[in-house]
Amino acid sequence: GDGLDSRFGAFRAETYTAEHRAALGTATTPWTLFVDGYDESGNRIYDKGPKGKTCHQCRQKTVCKHTSCGSCGALRGQFCGDCLFMRYGENVDEANNDDAWRCPPCRDLCNCSFCRQRKGWPPTGSMYRRALREGFTSVAHYLVLGGGEDDREETPTTPSAEGATEPIQPRVGYEVVQTEAVVQDVRASHMRSFKKAPRSTPPVTGKVRSVNALHDAAPATPPAEPNARKRLRKEA
């Protein structure tokens, strides 16, 4: 009813305001990824019991440091250290030492797939490496700061390769064109591979040839005469 079709990327325009930019977090101390909550072999420690806590971002119940929101105090305010750093550029230790710390959902900054889909936005996938390549601290900084520093009520944004700050057109058009092109390209490639694939004909095996040879060499059985029974009856 709202004209959205997630199959082809027809999502709502992704917009951010000056309040979103002001709500972005920072980290004054470094955070080492893939250490907290991992064993000596580098495997993540999962626990379905009372020791484990579920991260709102990755939705994994692990034994590691998690945040606690000073505003909502809800489960949605639990973020593991790695997700908080990669997705929002914040340090879990600093967040837990600040009683007034507010979680990304309370700041309307959450970029998890569930929160984005509720807004009609596509999920980002693993975007951390791309954010770093383009000079942003985290995925949240990449999304919010990527398109503009305009102080209007709403600023449609899309990060550029240089981290430029020119306002651009809403993302909805960009998403539709890009996603439909990918879908069409995938369909075309499938059709090309289907057309190029030769039709497989089962090879004639030796057994089949021998059977055919026997069949060809066998003397043909003469067809029965249609009036043979009538002649026999007359002779009798």
Side-chain angles (χ1 to χ4, degrees):
D2 53 6
L4 304 181
D5 189 349
S6 59
R7 294 175 301 172
F8 297 103
F11 298 99
R12 296 185 187 279
E14 188 169 342
T15 57
Y16 297 98
T17 67
E19 293 181 357
H20 291 107
R21 295 191 285 275
L24 288 170
T26 58
T28 58
T29 55
W31 174 260
T32 305
L33 295 172
F34 313 124
V35 173
D36 180 49
Y38 289 79
D39 60 20
E40 296 179 353
S41 301
N43 299 315
R44 203 169 188 185
I45 305 173
Y46 298 93
D47 192 328
K48 296 182 180 180
K51 293 183 179 180
K53 291 183 179 180
T54 302
C55 172
H56 176 80
Q57 187 79 34
C58 64
R59 296 186 284 276
Q60 301 298 313
K61 192 171 185 181
T62 59
V63 180
C64 65
K65 298 177 181 178
H66 288 79
T67 59
S68 177
C69 181
S71 177
C72 67
L75 292 177
R76 72 175 191 173
Q78 287 185 171
F79 288 78
C80 67
D82 287 353
C83 284
L84 187 69
F85 187 78
M86 290 189 290
R87 306 292 298 193
Y88 305 97
E90 303 176 42
N91 188 303
V92 63
D93 291 328
E94 296 175 1
N96 287 335
N97 290 331
D98 183 4
D99 294 335
W101 181 83
R102 297 168 64 219
C103 64
C106 284
R107 288 176 277 163
D108 195 28
L109 287 177
C110 187
N111 52 55
C112 79
S113 60
F114 285 172
C115 289
R116 286 180 62 84
Q117 287 174 351
R118 276 196 292 268
K119 294 180 179 179
W121 299 351
T124 65
S126 55
M127 193 180 280
Y128 180 58
R129 292 174 182 248
R130 180 178 178 181
L132 293 182
R133 281 199 309 268
E134 300 202 15
F136 294 94
T137 305
S138 70
V139 174
H141 291 78
Y142 174 84
L143 295 171
V144 176
L145 301 178
E149 291 295 336
D150 194 334
D151 288 331
R152 293 176 299 175
E153 182 179 356
E154 288 188 347
T155 304
T157 62
T158 294
S160 65
E162 297 79 20
T165 58
E166 300 88 11
I168 63 168
Q169 296 300 320
R171 296 187 62 159
V172 58
Y174 172 85
E175 296 290 349
V176 171
V177 172
Q178 292 293 326
T179 309
E180 286 185 350
V182 171
V183 172
Q184 292 174 0
D185 183 65
V186 170
R187 287 177 177 172
S189 64
H190 280 297
M191 291 301 296
R192 286 195 298 269
S193 61
F194 176 77
K195 290 179 180 179
K196 291 181 181 179
R199 294 186 177 179
S200 58
T201 304
V204 180
T205 62
K207 181 179 292 185
V208 174
R209 285 200 298 268
S210 62
V211 171
N212 291 337
L214 292 173
H215 180 272
D216 295 337
T221 303
E225 296 181 7
N227 298 325
R229 292 185 179 179
K230 293 181 179 180
R231 287 199 303 269
L232 292 173
R233 289 178 181 175
K234 288 180 180 180
E235 294 175 356

